[in-house]
Amino acid sequence: MTLTLQRQDLMPGAQLIGANWCDASDGRRLDVTDPASDTVFASVPDGSAADAAAAVDAAHAAFPAWRAVPAKQRAQILKRWNDLMLAHQDDLGRLISREQGKPLAEGKGEVLYAASYVEWFAEEATRANGDVIPAPVPGRRMFALREPVGVVAAITPWNFPAAMIARKIAPALAAGCTVVCKPAEDTPLTSLALIKLAQEAGVPAGVINIVTASRERTPEVVDVWLDDSRVRKITFTGSTPVGKHLARRSADTLKKLSLELGGNAPFIVFDDADLDVAVEGVMAAKFRNGGQTCVCPNRVYVQAGVHDAFLDKLAARVGALRVGPATDPASQIGPMINARAVDKIERHVLDAVARGARIVVGGKRLRSASCDGPNYFAPTILADVHAGMECSYEETFGPVAPVTRFATEAEVIAAANDTPFGLAAYFYSTDVRRIWRVAEALESGIVGINEGAIAAEAAPFGGVKESGYGREGSVHGLDDYLHTKYICQGQL
Ligand code: SIN
């Protein structure tokens, strides 16, 4: 079924290189599939290496003029972009939900979340202050200026098709950088719509370029950007193996990197926690976007004294979740993004059960009149989970909460940190001394204490260990697109 929008031109069906909305250099197309029905409903160009090179040419040519635009004027353009996103939140929300599968309320919520980054960086654009440094000798003046790094390549994932574009492109533009961008092959439409609105907001030709590409063609597009020394920074959200590949391949031209990679978030409930608050926390953190979020709890640890009571309360909430397509306003969990995702979730559940886990709720694929497609998986709770199960050491990226019983604080901190990853961690406790001890002991870029909804435009989002480096959002999110130039004037 085709998607009818109030503004049909927000589905241009073309990629933007310089001033031109164009096809792939060889005319190839990429089908866009509705994950709810597994049917094709749109197509975009399947961009080539030649398109990727043309995009860098355009971004490089646009850079000198864009960096020279006064910060206040760049901020005004970003503010207009924010306003247009809000004005078109219905169309954008429907696009997100159709190509990504999340319920419509979440799709529209993501538009607001994305716009909040654009608004934030519009304001930060005017605050990229440098330093005046007291000179150690007479007759000198010393300064540190902050300058845009240059052309940025932004490679974005499918789970938040609007927010990740906004979180990367808004700070780049605020800093005075120009952008070449490649959205995930599953969700190219939202990014094209956002960039159409950015153009309407007054972003000049060449400042943002977008190449859409299939899974097969993505390596050739990205390799062009990796090899081109004019691309000075890569910003990527996605898997750790791909992040490592980008880091290795960027070494030859020593690009600056921001890598927001895989997680394996622990969610810890101590005996002294408020159990109702903890259950709400899991619902918010684990089941948002059907569990397809890199900050989703992947391991739920519950202390022995409250384990059974917690599990009962959680089972009641998870068992009541409504699964269905985005088009049904009652849906709380949509389909998974594609068959590969559902296969992985099923593999994790089967592996856990084979190794002794117990299914408390769900545990299987769903197919029914309301879940009429191959990509639905029932919201699931597993109990008696241990560290040897795949779901404990690999990110499941689906609506599965694996629960493990623990005895002591020391034991759970060791377990929580026993992973190469360190993106998010959550814990629930009412003991203020324990709160500071545990928050400091967790090896994680983000810690939620008695809170499951942690992301915000004003907060630094990013990981430690193999979850990557660099921060998005907050004042630190702008720093990642700037370098520092020291200027020393003598003979004064
Ligand atoms: C992500 O999953 O990469 C982003 C999640 C968020 O912004 O909360």
Side-chain angles (χ1 to χ4, degrees):
M1 203 173 38
T2 55
L3 178 62
T4 308
L5 301 176
Q6 286 159 31
R7 271 200 44 193
Q8 208 57 36
D9 66 323
L10 291 181
M11 283 176 73
Q15 52 188 11
L16 180 65
I17 299 176
N20 301 323
W21 287 95
C22 55
D23 284 325
S25 60
D26 56 4
R28 253 170 69 160
R29 304 285 297 172
L30 160 66
D31 285 339
V32 185
T33 301
D34 174 352
S37 59
D38 207 31
T39 53
V40 172
F41 71 100
S43 78
V44 296
D46 189 5
S48 63
D51 297 326
V56 180
D57 290 345
H60 184 67
F63 178 58
W66 180 245
R67 70 175 294 184
V69 171
K72 185 164 178 168
Q73 210 175 315
R74 290 200 302 269
Q76 282 159 349
I77 292 173
L78 284 167
K79 280 186 186 148
R80 280 200 294 274
W81 190 20
N82 166 67
D83 294 345
L84 286 168
M85 286 168 69
L86 297 180
H88 296 289
Q89 71 175 272
D90 280 353
D91 275 351
L92 294 172
R94 290 180 62 225
L95 264 174
I96 294 171
S97 289
R98 177 60 81 83
E99 67 175 346
Q100 198 272 336
K102 65 183 64 170
L104 194 52
E106 274 194 56
K108 287 190 189 164
E110 186 184 335
V111 181
L112 302 185
Y113 181 46
S116 73
Y117 284 99
V118 177
E119 186 184 34
W120 172 267
F121 285 111
E123 287 163 2
E124 285 302 296
T126 56
R127 295 183 196 132
N129 302 329
D131 303 313
V132 179
I133 302 158
V137 289
R140 272 196 208 164
R141 295 290 181 274
M142 295 162 57
F143 308 92
L145 306 187
R146 297 173 78 216
E147 297 190 330
V149 295
V151 176
V152 172
I155 303 168
T156 59
W158 51 263
N159 60 344
F160 288 89
M164 298 303 106
I165 287 279
R167 193 148 104 179
K168 293 178 186 319
I169 295 185
L173 265 46
C177 298
T178 56
V179 176
V180 294
C181 156
K182 195 209 72 70
E185 59 280 2
D186 291 301
T187 55
L189 299 176
T190 307
S191 45
L192 293 173
L194 287 181
I195 283 160
K196 186 119 187 116
L197 293 175
Q199 207 181 25
E200 233 166 278
V203 173
V207 170
I208 308 180
N209 306 272
I210 179 165
V211 177
T212 48
S214 61
R215 202 174 173 76
E216 297 71 44
R217 273 211 171 171
T218 289
E220 74 178 67
V221 166
V222 172
D223 281 355
V224 167
W225 295 347
L226 286 165
D227 291 340
D228 194 322
S229 60
R230 295 173 300 171
V231 174
R232 293 314 313 147
K233 176 183 168 83
I234 304 262
T235 170
F236 169 69
T237 296
S239 75
T240 293
V242 174
K244 287 181 180 176
H245 168 76
L246 296 176
R248 272 186 219 107
R249 284 289 316 270
S250 300
D252 280 346
T253 51
L254 280 183
K255 299 184 199 312
K256 199 170 163 118
L257 285 165
S258 296
L259 300 174
E260 203 255 90
L261 308 177
N264 183 8
F267 186 106
I268 306 168
V269 183
F270 288 101
D271 279 346
D272 56 42
D274 179 325
L275 287 197
D276 293 318
V277 173
V279 168
E280 286 319 306
V282 184
M283 297 308 293
K286 173 75 249 185
F287 294 98
R288 167 179 175 233
N289 199 16
Q292 302 172 110
T293 304
C294 30
V295 288
C296 269
N298 203 51
R299 300 168 288 154
V300 180
Y301 296 102
V302 187
Q303 202 160 13
V306 293
H307 177 272
D308 295 352
F310 176 82
L311 210 54
D312 287 347
K313 282 176 186 276
L314 185 62
R317 291 283 275 108
V318 174
L321 283 172
R322 272 283 290 266
V323 184
T327 44
D328 178 352
S331 298
Q332 293 168 294
I333 305 259
M336 300 295 102
I337 186 70
N338 55 32
R340 275 193 316 280
V342 192
D343 289 348
K344 181 178 188 190
I345 297 163
E346 186 176 54
R347 196 183 77 229
H348 278 194
V349 171
L350 293 176
D351 170 77
V353 171
R355 293 173 195 277
R358 181 164 51 90
I359 295 174
V360 180
V361 177
K364 56 181 189 320
R365 292 170 187 261
L366 284 181
R367 187 104 200 209
S368 65
S370 53
C371 298
D372 189 14
N375 295 329
Y376 290 98
F377 201 90
T380 297
I381 303 176
L382 300 172
D384 304 333
V385 170
H386 60 69
M389 298 173 183
E390 270 184 88
C391 63
S392 294
Y393 55 82
E394 222 187 80
E395 206 175 14
T396 303
F397 234 63
V400 178
V403 179
T404 303
R405 188 190 298 260
F406 73 92
T408 66
E409 184 181 306
E411 170 200 340
V412 79
I413 287 173
N417 289 340
D418 186 18
T419 167
F421 303 104
L423 183 54
Y426 307 81
F427 70 93
Y428 283 67
S429 168
T430 51
D431 174 343
V432 73
R433 270 178 274 177
R434 188 203 294 276
I435 283 176
W436 282 103
R437 248 189 345 259
V438 175
E440 287 170 11
L442 287 169
E443 295 168 358
S444 183
I446 305 168
V447 178
I449 308 169
N450 298 327
E451 182 56 67
I454 46 173
E457 74 281 9
F461 191 104
V464 297
K465 295 159 76 177
E466 293 187 24
S467 290
Y469 39 75
R471 291 294 177 268
E472 295 191 325
S474 80
V475 61
H476 306 288
L478 187 67
D479 284 346
D480 271 18
Y481 294 84
L482 295 164
H483 59 224
T484 301
K485 179 185 276 178
Y486 162 49
I487 294 188
C488 177
Q489 184 176 5
Q491 309 302 318
L492 293 173

